Amino acid sequence: MPRPRVSALLAAAAGLVLLAGLAGCSPDTGDHRGYAVPGELCDVPVPVSVIEPLLPDGERLTTRSGGTDGLRTCTLTVDGDLAVSAKTERWEHGTSVRKVMSATPGLGDAAAPARAGQAVATSSAGLRRVDCGSAPGDREEVFATVRAENAPGESALRKAVTAYARGAADAAGTCGRG
């Protein structure tokens, strides 16, 4: 009679092994953000939904902004690693988008935009001319760039640099105002 008891114990043990195996196979995506996604880049309002795809998972986000006359820069680091950098920069009036692209890391191989005012982007960087309007005697143009280290894709960078350039156009100091 010990035979049914042994079979029951073996079946119970096999069930536990199966459950343990299934628990080990449960999907652990590792997605975790222990920080709040900011609603701005370089003190320029940008929707959180546009910034979020540029940022990796992590525990701590640190932002740094700076700049000098004609240049505004900022970086977002996650757990000490550079995640996103953004800047607005003044160039001589009449500077081509192609020239700014060649000076921007990550954009050298991108195709120039077909129409003026369009953003150009690769999987890791985006560029757009800031629409500052025009006034007689303008001697400079402003360009915005956004770079993401996690290479979220061309669409995400195009959206980010477009939102950043539009916000920068209204920000104090970007277009010679404020």
Side-chain angles (χ1 to χ4, degrees), residues 29 35 51-53 60 66 76-77 80 87 104 107 132-133 140 151 174:
T29 60
Y35 59 85
I51 297 173
E52 191 170 31
R60 195 171 132 223
L76 285 72
T77 58
K87 70 178 178 179
T104 304
L107 284 178
C132 290
E140 296 177 315
T174 301

Side-chain angles (χ1 to χ4, degrees), residues 61-87:
L61 175 80
T62 306
T63 61
R64 291 194 176 91
S65 295
T68 60
D69 186 37
L71 176 68
R72 174 185 294 169
T73 63
C74 68
T75 58
L76 285 72
T77 58
V78 175
D79 298 334
D81 295 323
L82 179 64
V84 176
S85 57
K87 70 178 178 179

